[in-house]
Amino acid sequence: MKAIRRFTVRTVLPASLSALDELAANLRWSWHEPTRRLFEEIDPEIWHGIAGDPVALLGAVSPARIEALAADAEFVARADALRDELATYRSEPRWYQTLSGAPAHIAYFSPEFGIAAALPQYSGGLGILAGDHLKSASDLGLPLTGIGLFYRAGYFKQSISADGWQQEAYPVLDPDGLPLTLTRHADGAPALVSLALPEGRTLHARIWQVAVGRVTLLLLDTDIPENEDALRDVTDRLYGGGGEHRLLQELLLGVGGVRALRIWTELTGAPEAQVFHTNEGHAGFQGLERISTLIHDGLTFSEALQVVRAGTVFTTHTPVPAGIDRFDRGLVQQYFSGDLLPGVDVWEVLALGSENYPGGSGDVFNMAVMGLRLGQHANGVSQLHGEVSRGMFSGLWPGFDASDVPITSVTNGVHAPTWTDPLLLELAQEKLGTADTTAADWAGPGVTDAELWAVRNRMRANLVADARRRVTAAWHDENPGASAPAWFDDLLDPDVLTIGFARRVPTYKRLTLMLEDEARLIALLTHKKRPIQIVIAGKSHPADEEGKRLIQKLVRFTQDPELRRRIVFLPNYDIAMAQVLYPGTDVWLNNPLRPLEACGTSGMKAALNGVLNLSILDGWWNEYYDGEDGWAIPSADSAGDAAERDKLEAESLYDLIENQIAPRFYRRDSAGVPTRWMANVRHTLATLSPELSADRMVREYVQRLYIPAANAAEAISAGDYAGGRELAAWKAVVSSAWGDVSVVHVESGGLAPVPQVGDRLHVRAQVQLGSLRPEDVAVEVVYGTSREGDDLVNTATVELTPLEEDTAATTGAIPIDGSRTFAGTVTLGRPGSFGYNVRVVPKNAYLVDPAEMGLVAVAH
């Protein structure tokens, strides 16, 4: 018989242990090692069996154990001290409080948040990144609020059938058994957000709060009695369902998220958000809800759009067009034709998501395109990804070179306290005097090679033990009552060079590239003197049949009796597994098709633990590889086809392992320490730990994006949104007149017959302005290195000024032909090929980038 309803009964703790409830309710325990050790001490067996979940632990521990702890004065004192320390952590000034002019409140929207295994609301890198962003925001003191959805079944639980096929299960989560608090009004009634849907329906959602250190995360949940049955399922699964289901989720995340944030700020007295950060396009509708509110305040759509853009940051995470949400245009029209957003015209909405550029489709609504049109500040997540994004979205800025597209980059980082193994934390504290591994002196004499090598060996042994446990548990799940095979006890070897590979399994990440030459891989796995072993994990999207076939192919390979102790696929990849897997490997493998990996943060987490990377030069590795922190797999970009490329890159992978990696790992000194290997480990820890930290990433967001966005929003909103009204009117005038703008003539002089560095090039340009004024435009010399075909690279600009002796300038009149003369000087700053051109772009104090309006006139 099955239960018709499940719920969690929480343990009532005695007053002396009240600190445990407070500590369990705040997810800071997920990265605060002293708090984790306190909970582990309550019952180590239960703690490890539930993947370190304090709420579940307190519900499972025996009453006798609770009574014993309540009578243990020393334990109670430690719990109280940790509660007091948490209170201090949440209230004391931190880095952010030292800044001037920083926004008073930042809203951070994401479809998923990976904070702890105990709150399974994530699928992969995007969610883990969002979780790490919240954690570092908390550590740095940012007044940031996260907004997401509460998925009743999370993503999915993965198992592998006997023939290697991925199977999905969706266990239903009970929010009462999770570290969540329901948002309520003063009278105790649950706070709800409501969205008007077509056909007179209404979607309601309650608002869960999650305490993440100093930061609050709001999660919207539609599984409530106020909704009809079909609408209760809107937040059923992460990335589940078809087009309309996904659209409803994203409407709730964006429109409902802003409404939930508004309720929360009113209830708590928090200041209104000044900056709205959209983590990928899924939450893009948040900008439309804000526009609707401003229209209610008396602005037109165009005026409200300028105000919203100024305070919005948009981060794109995919270099793959197929990874972008694109909805049927008619479906979006249907949802926005009703009362969802009062005052907002459906055609204005459709224009924001329109692919009205060469190669675009007129039948779809593109969420990333809308995100870029709604956000004045945009970025990719690594330097290479920023470059790829500028090319991928260049159609939105016709006439500009891809390098001029206004998308910058902030390379991702990972939260060091979460992803650094406790053993390494302990070593840093004991030998280097700090628990902050990103600031420890790993290159100095404070810790010896032997000490660091011993910790690395223990990490590998922990991974081996965890892999054996997981494989055994998976066997019992698939074969209830049957004894696990005896060889599971010998799975992997704690002394063998261990390579890790774990990530989502779309085809471009090439899970099975290692199988390109099976005989070569077998030789590496079974080498008598220098064997390797490989630990693999990853989930394929339930609808991705090709990804599932890749998993099946790999699993079948691992089932060979001659190999199964040396290569293993671990099912149900999640945070708990990752926290043992990353540190326990010696080498982290990443072999995507370049340049399709936006960042690749799994390799970052490995590097924080002294693991060396073996990767295609893609994502973050492209900018940080220096020859001493791992190995770069050469990309066969010039290969004739995909099969040849795979073959060539796999051969390079095998060669690196056989001829460089394995020999270096097994070459030991008289004490059994691989000194050359340890030099690489030390270098990785010393140079990469600070750079790969999410603290570095969040600081960059604050200084390069959040503060400029807050300043722009404040300026354009001042005086009853005078700036927004002014900018909208100015844009309309400039856009309608731009067809008459052109560069009529360019002349230059001042250089010697053989130009030298330091010479000054004088440039004069006659520009047709039509009805525009000189102050409406910037006339710029764009100069740089001239390559074959006269393409300019490594460019810089100098703005020319209108000549005072121009007749029109002295009389205040506009010449009959609308032309003006602009002039300026360029200093030749470097030797080599030099080229220049002149362009005209719109100029206004409220624009943050000359390409923002997508208007340009170039000399020919």
Side-chain angles (χ1 to χ4, degrees), residues 246-550:
R246 288 285 294 276
L247 177 61
L248 279 166
Q249 288 188 340
E250 297 187 12
L251 287 170
L252 179 62
L253 175 59
V255 177
V258 174
R259 295 176 183 178
L261 180 66
R262 192 178 298 130
I263 291 171
W264 181 80
T265 56
E266 291 173 354
L267 290 174
T268 62
E272 292 185 4
Q274 294 173 274
V275 174
F276 289 75
H277 185 174
T278 305
N279 192 36
E280 197 44 90
H282 311 282
F285 291 126
Q286 56 84 18
L288 294 176
E289 165 65 14
R290 293 159 58 207
I291 286 174
S292 177
T293 301
L294 291 169
I295 289 174
H296 180 268
D297 291 342
L299 274 64
T300 66
F301 183 94
S302 179
E303 293 167 346
L305 175 60
Q306 312 315 317
V307 175
V308 165
R309 277 176 47 77
T312 300
V313 175
F314 174 70
T315 298
T316 175
H317 283 265
T318 178
V320 186
I324 295 171
D325 277 344
R326 300 161 85 223
F327 294 109
D328 177 79
R329 181 182 170 91
L331 181 65
V332 175
Q333 181 178 344
Q334 175 188 353
Y335 272 85
F336 283 94
S337 294
D339 299 324
L340 176 63
L341 294 179
V344 176
D345 186 273
V346 64
W347 302 108
E348 301 275 18
V349 173
L350 294 174
L352 289 172
S354 172
E355 295 184 354
N356 57 343
Y357 45 79
S361 170
D363 299 327
V364 301
F365 185 94
N366 187 309
M367 294 296 289
V369 166
M370 180 181 67
L372 289 165
R373 286 175 172 152
L374 282 173
Q376 194 175 39
H377 316 265
N379 69 285
V381 292
S382 69
Q383 289 181 8
L384 179 59
H385 179 235
E387 179 182 327
V388 170
S389 297
R390 287 187 287 275
M392 186 165 72
F393 295 109
S394 60
L396 295 175
W397 292 273
F400 287 90
D401 293 339
S403 59
D404 290 323
V405 168
I407 301 175
T408 185
S409 60
V410 176
T411 301
N412 282 344
V414 295
H415 187 245
T418 294
W419 299 109
T420 305
D421 191 277
L423 293 172
L424 195 63
L425 292 172
E426 183 180 346
L427 180 67
Q429 183 72 66
E430 180 182 342
K431 297 294 183 179
L432 302 177
T434 177
D436 182 359
T437 57
T438 68
D441 182 14
W442 294 109
V447 59
T448 67
D449 282 354
E451 290 166 337
L452 186 54
W453 175 241
V455 167
R456 294 283 315 130
N457 286 336
R458 290 173 63 192
M459 292 178 185
R460 193 184 317 107
N462 287 343
L463 169 58
V464 169
D466 190 63
R468 292 172 180 174
R469 181 186 63 78
R470 289 180 181 276
V471 168
T472 301
W475 169 270
H476 287 309
D477 286 344
E478 292 293 312
N479 304 274
S483 298
W487 66 268
F488 282 7
D489 294 337
D490 298 320
L491 176 68
L492 304 177
D493 185 326
D495 296 319
V496 166
L497 170 62
T498 303
I499 298 175
F501 183 103
R503 53 192 35 87
R504 290 184 304 110
V505 190
T507 53
Y508 77 87
K509 291 182 183 282
R510 297 193 295 182
L511 171 70
T512 56
L513 183 69
M514 66 182 75
L515 303 183
E516 184 71 20
D517 184 340
E518 292 187 3
R520 188 95 185 264
L521 178 60
I522 291 170
L524 292 170
L525 291 166
T526 59
H527 195 284
K528 300 232 182 278
K529 292 184 178 180
R530 298 190 298 271
I532 69 168
Q533 58 192 12
I534 308 178
V535 184
I536 307 154
K539 294 179 177 180
S540 176
H541 188 281
D544 185 358
E545 295 295 307
E546 184 55 34
K548 293 181 184 180
R549 277 190 282 273
L550 295 179

Side-chain angles (χ1 to χ4, degrees), residues 70-345:
D72 185 338
E74 191 271 338
F75 180 88
V76 170
R78 279 193 291 131
D80 288 345
L82 285 170
R83 176 185 56 191
D84 294 343
E85 191 272 340
L86 174 61
T88 300
Y89 166 85
R90 297 188 66 188
S91 59
E92 67 182 357
R94 303 185 78 80
W95 170 79
Y96 193 83
Q97 283 66 47
T98 68
L99 305 178
S100 59
H105 188 189
I106 302 151
Y108 182 89
F109 290 74
S110 179
E112 49 174 309
F113 287 90
I115 300 168
L119 188 64
Q121 301 290 298
Y122 60 93
S123 72
L126 178 70
I128 302 300
L129 182 280
D132 283 4
H133 197 108
L134 296 194
K135 293 173 184 177
S136 278
S138 173
D139 289 343
L140 295 172
L142 272 67
L144 183 143
T145 303
I147 299 97
L149 301 181
F150 177 76
Y151 303 98
R152 188 172 64 225
Y155 190 41
F156 68 88
K157 182 177 180 180
Q158 179 197 51
S159 60
I160 303 297
S161 69
D163 67 348
W165 193 252
Q166 172 180 291
Q167 301 174 117
E168 299 96 26
Y170 295 89
V172 175
L173 303 172
D174 176 16
D176 291 329
L178 298 172
L180 307 175
T181 302
L182 195 59
T183 303
R184 297 182 183 275
H185 292 291
D187 62 1
L192 299 180
V193 296
S194 301
L195 279 66
L197 304 182
E199 302 174 352
R201 298 181 302 156
T202 302
L203 175 66
H204 304 282
R206 59 185 170 183
I207 310 165
W208 292 106
Q209 294 183 44
V210 186
V212 186
R214 299 167 66 110
V215 164
T216 297
L217 170 62
L218 306 178
L219 299 177
L220 277 66
D221 176 12
T222 62
D223 186 19
I224 55 177
E226 288 81 355
N227 284 323
E228 60 186 71
D229 288 346
L231 294 180
R232 292 186 72 151
D233 290 336
V234 166
T235 54
D236 57 351
R237 300 174 184 174
L238 175 59
Y239 303 141
E244 186 168 9
H245 187 79
R246 288 285 294 276
L247 177 61
L248 279 166
Q249 288 188 340
E250 297 187 12
L251 287 170
L252 179 62
L253 175 59
V255 177
V258 174
R259 295 176 183 178
L261 180 66
R262 192 178 298 130
I263 291 171
W264 181 80
T265 56
E266 291 173 354
L267 290 174
T268 62
E272 292 185 4
Q274 294 173 274
V275 174
F276 289 75
H277 185 174
T278 305
N279 192 36
E280 197 44 90
H282 311 282
F285 291 126
Q286 56 84 18
L288 294 176
E289 165 65 14
R290 293 159 58 207
I291 286 174
S292 177
T293 301
L294 291 169
I295 289 174
H296 180 268
D297 291 342
L299 274 64
T300 66
F301 183 94
S302 179
E303 293 167 346
L305 175 60
Q306 312 315 317
V307 175
V308 165
R309 277 176 47 77
T312 300
V313 175
F314 174 70
T315 298
T316 175
H317 283 265
T318 178
V320 186
I324 295 171
D325 277 344
R326 300 161 85 223
F327 294 109
D328 177 79
R329 181 182 170 91
L331 181 65
V332 175
Q333 181 178 344
Q334 175 188 353
Y335 272 85
F336 283 94
S337 294
D339 299 324
L340 176 63
L341 294 179
V344 176
D345 186 273

Side-chain angles (χ1 to χ4, degrees), residues 745-749 761-766 821-822 836 838:
H745 178 70
V746 176
E747 59 184 45
S748 62
L761 173 70
H762 302 291
V763 180
R764 182 187 294 251
Q766 184 182 359
T821 303
F822 294 75
Y836 76 93
V838 172

Side-chain angles (χ1 to χ4, degrees), residues 453-679:
W453 175 241
V455 167
R456 294 283 315 130
N457 286 336
R458 290 173 63 192
M459 292 178 185
R460 193 184 317 107
N462 287 343
L463 169 58
V464 169
D466 190 63
R468 292 172 180 174
R469 181 186 63 78
R470 289 180 181 276
V471 168
T472 301
W475 169 270
H476 287 309
D477 286 344
E478 292 293 312
N479 304 274
S483 298
W487 66 268
F488 282 7
D489 294 337
D490 298 320
L491 176 68
L492 304 177
D493 185 326
D495 296 319
V496 166
L497 170 62
T498 303
I499 298 175
F501 183 103
R503 53 192 35 87
R504 290 184 304 110
V505 190
T507 53
Y508 77 87
K509 291 182 183 282
R510 297 193 295 182
L511 171 70
T512 56
L513 183 69
M514 66 182 75
L515 303 183
E516 184 71 20
D517 184 340
E518 292 187 3
R520 188 95 185 264
L521 178 60
I522 291 170
L524 292 170
L525 291 166
T526 59
H527 195 284
K528 300 232 182 278
K529 292 184 178 180
R530 298 190 298 271
I532 69 168
Q533 58 192 12
I534 308 178
V535 184
I536 307 154
K539 294 179 177 180
S540 176
H541 188 281
D544 185 358
E545 295 295 307
E546 184 55 34
K548 293 181 184 180
R549 277 190 282 273
L550 295 179
I551 291 176
Q552 184 180 49
K553 180 179 180 181
L554 183 73
V555 170
R556 286 178 171 175
F557 179 82
T558 68
Q559 292 171 340
D560 185 328
E562 298 301 315
L563 305 174
R564 62 193 183 191
R565 290 177 176 81
R566 283 284 184 265
I567 181 168
V568 60
F569 183 92
L570 301 179
N572 205 39
Y573 179 43
D574 66 0
I575 288 176
M577 178 193 295
Q579 288 177 316
V580 180
L581 176 56
Y582 297 137
T585 57
D586 299 292
V587 173
W588 195 258
L589 175 62
N590 190 29
N591 46 234
L593 279 169
R594 188 180 191 270
L596 302 184
E597 181 82 278
C599 184
T601 53
S602 62
M604 292 180 163
K605 301 178 185 87
L608 287 182
N609 290 281
V611 177
L612 308 184
N613 274 265
L614 170 61
S615 177
I616 295 286
L617 285 171
D618 201 3
W620 74 274
W621 190 236
N622 184 68
E623 64 195 82
Y624 283 111
Y625 168 67
D626 66 6
E628 285 295 311
D629 47 12
W631 294 267
I633 304 170
S635 296
D637 296 334
S638 59
D641 56 28
E644 182 184 2
R645 180 175 184 170
D646 286 353
K647 181 177 181 295
L648 292 172
E649 294 183 3
E651 287 177 355
S652 297
L653 169 62
Y654 301 137
D655 286 343
L656 286 168
I657 294 173
E658 180 178 5
N659 300 316
Q660 296 189 39
I661 297 173
R664 187 174 301 180
F665 179 84
Y666 285 107
R667 190 178 299 123
R668 310 291 169 83
D669 64 11
S670 58
V673 177
T675 53
R676 181 67 180 89
W677 185 274
M678 294 311 298

